[in-house]
Amino acid sequence: MTLLSVQNLTTYYQIRRGFVRAVEDVSFSLERGEAMGLAGESGCGKTTVALSLLKILPPNGKIVRGKILLNDLDVVKLSESELREKIRWKAISLIFQGAMNAMNPMYKVEDQIVEAIRLHEKGVTKKEAKDRVAKLFEMVGLEPERAKGYPHEFSGGMRQRAMIAMALACNPSILIADEPSTALDVIVQAQVLKLLDELKRKLNLAIIMISHDLSIISETCDKLAIMYAGRIVEVGDVLSVFKKPLHPYTQGLIAAFPSIYAPKQEMSAIPGSPPNLLNPPKGCRFAPRCNYSMDICLKESPSLIEADKNHFVACHLVHK
Ligand code: SF4
């Protein structure tokens, strides 16, 4: 059953020179217990999608159209108090980029998680919240006693585990992990990803994994959505997208990725850079960098269509 259905989500940031069209007509769905990777270059709108889902955009950011249906409740229409009561932490939780900086260095980790629990769940006593923190710490593979320490007493990997414990404190059904393993060494990175995978199975948790690293997504996700310049250009089952990428941008991303099995060859790169989202191209936003660009690509923006079973792509080549 569909847990989350995002339909034509469009989010802009207002700056002095106009509107930055950071996310435009983004649609995807997520089922309970499903993990979806959201990939693309820096600045393609991945984090803006995450911030929009929780409606925690900076003051100049605004959802200008679209729906975010969570069990048929449209998050876009909810007031601040409704979002606090029903959505943030309880239904959707976010692990921010850079666990190193996400905790307040002045307070013990336990106190920070207890405060978050009691802020979002009225009526929970301090003792109950502390017991919950101990259980959460155990669940993420940390000694419950460690919760009484300050963030600087944790290693990078421990801090990331503590952040995951904090994100799960109010039992959400969706966890958004924004670059959860950036700045961690590869061994700790593998441990954190394994933990997320275990939690997904154990708690039937839906996960949105934001990353520019396709290897992380291929290992941990069931589904992959590729974003380019604020739009989803391809989305489908991870295997299907990796084996048969249909969009030229996805093909370029995968070709730029080293394989340990393939013969040694020079890495390829996608020439050019993403467009300025203050004034993006009228048609396909990838057209200036695409080797297959046609007349229609410069005039019409391609819509996302189902090219194969559960495999959607937005490209005029496929529309032909
Ligand atoms: Fe290339 Fe045209 Fe497809 Fe865009 S729509 S990716 S320009 S072929």
Side-chain angles (χ1 to χ4, degrees):
M1 206 188 98
T2 302
L3 173 67
L4 175 75
S5 170
V6 176
Q7 300 170 6
N8 303 104
L9 177 68
T10 300
T11 303
Y12 292 170
Y13 294 108
Q14 185 166 25
I15 60 171
R16 238 185 279 162
R17 285 184 294 145
F19 289 95
V20 178
R21 292 156 63 175
V23 165
E24 208 148 40
D25 284 322
V26 161
S27 301
F28 62 87
S29 63
L30 199 60
E31 289 177 21
R32 207 168 270 280
E34 187 177 45
M36 184 183 92
L38 200 53
E41 286 163 280
S42 297
C44 69
K46 307 183 295 285
T47 299
T48 299
V49 169
L51 300 179
S52 302
L53 293 182
L54 282 158
K55 285 186 75 181
I56 49 171
L57 290 156
N60 66 336
K62 193 169 189 277
I63 297 176
V64 293
R65 60 172 187 274
K67 288 181 180 174
I68 300 169
L69 299 177
L70 185 70
N71 292 325
D72 293 332
L73 191 71
D74 190 355
V75 174
V76 176
K77 292 189 178 143
L78 298 183
S79 66
E80 268 303 300
S81 60
E82 286 172 317
L83 286 162
R84 256 198 312 272
E85 274 166 34
K86 298 177 186 165
I87 305 297
R88 295 176 190 150
W89 292 74
K90 288 183 174 169
I92 308 177
S93 220
L94 171 64
I95 307 172
F96 285 100
Q97 252 181 68
M100 304 291 179
N101 315 317
M103 284 199 178
N104 189 329
M106 307 290 284
Y107 295 94
K108 290 179 181 171
V109 173
E110 182 186 58
D111 293 341
Q112 299 190 44
I113 305 181
V114 164
E115 189 192 355
I117 294 172
R118 297 188 72 210
L119 196 72
H120 292 88
E121 286 185 29
K122 303 285 173 228
V124 175
T125 65
K126 217 170 181 173
K127 161 92 179 53
E128 286 166 342
K130 282 189 176 183
D131 290 346
R132 201 187 295 179
V133 175
K135 283 194 190 128
L136 285 163
F137 259 51
E138 235 171 282
M139 191 164 70
V140 299
L142 291 172
E143 287 279 322
E145 271 306 300
R146 296 300 306 241
K148 303 204 185 314
Y150 288 90
H152 74 269
E153 295 172 307
F154 286 54
S155 68
M158 286 167 67
R159 229 177 290 181
Q160 189 59 291
R161 283 175 191 265
M163 285 304 301
I164 295 171
M166 194 164 176
L168 297 176
C170 297
N171 204 15
S173 43
I174 300 173
L175 180 69
I176 306 173
D178 192 356
E179 304 278 5
S181 51
T182 306
L184 298 177
D185 66 65
V186 280
I187 308 275
V188 180
Q189 180 175 336
Q191 290 168 353
V192 168
L193 295 176
K194 187 166 169 261
L195 171 66
L196 285 173
D197 193 47
E198 282 166 7
L199 292 171
K200 181 186 97 154
R201 290 168 209 277
K202 203 161 149 189
L203 307 174
N204 202 18
L205 198 63
I207 297 182
I208 299 177
M209 177 88 70
I210 296 178
S211 181
H212 60 273
D213 187 338
L214 291 180
S215 64
I216 287 179
I217 290 177
S218 67
E219 234 173 88
T220 49
C221 297
D222 310 294
K223 204 162 146 177
L224 166 62
I226 302 283
M227 283 192 80
Y228 181 77
R231 291 179 183 272
I232 286 186
V233 293
E234 185 157 3
V235 58
D237 299 336
V238 160
L239 265 183
S240 157
V241 176
F242 269 95
K243 276 194 171 163
K244 197 180 162 198
L246 298 171
H247 195 281
Y249 178 62
T250 316
Q251 290 165 1
L253 277 187
I254 292 174
F257 206 69
S259 164
I260 52 171
Y261 301 112
K264 274 190 200 164
Q265 58 184 40
E266 211 170 300
M267 303 282 301
S268 66
I270 304 170
S273 46
N276 180 351
L277 293 181
L278 262 174
N279 189 18
K282 186 167 167 266
C284 171
R285 291 184 178 181
F286 189 58
R289 300 172 79 182
C290 181
N291 291 335
Y292 308 98
S293 181
M294 305 168 280
D295 281 350
I296 188 172
C297 305
L298 306 176
K299 294 179 203 137
E300 279 177 36
S301 175
S303 48
L304 208 58
I305 59 152
E306 190 167 15
D308 271 335
K309 193 166 178 276
N310 291 331
H311 189 160
F312 297 80
V313 65
C315 174
H316 289 303
L317 279 177
V318 181
H319 289 200
K320 276 203 299 183

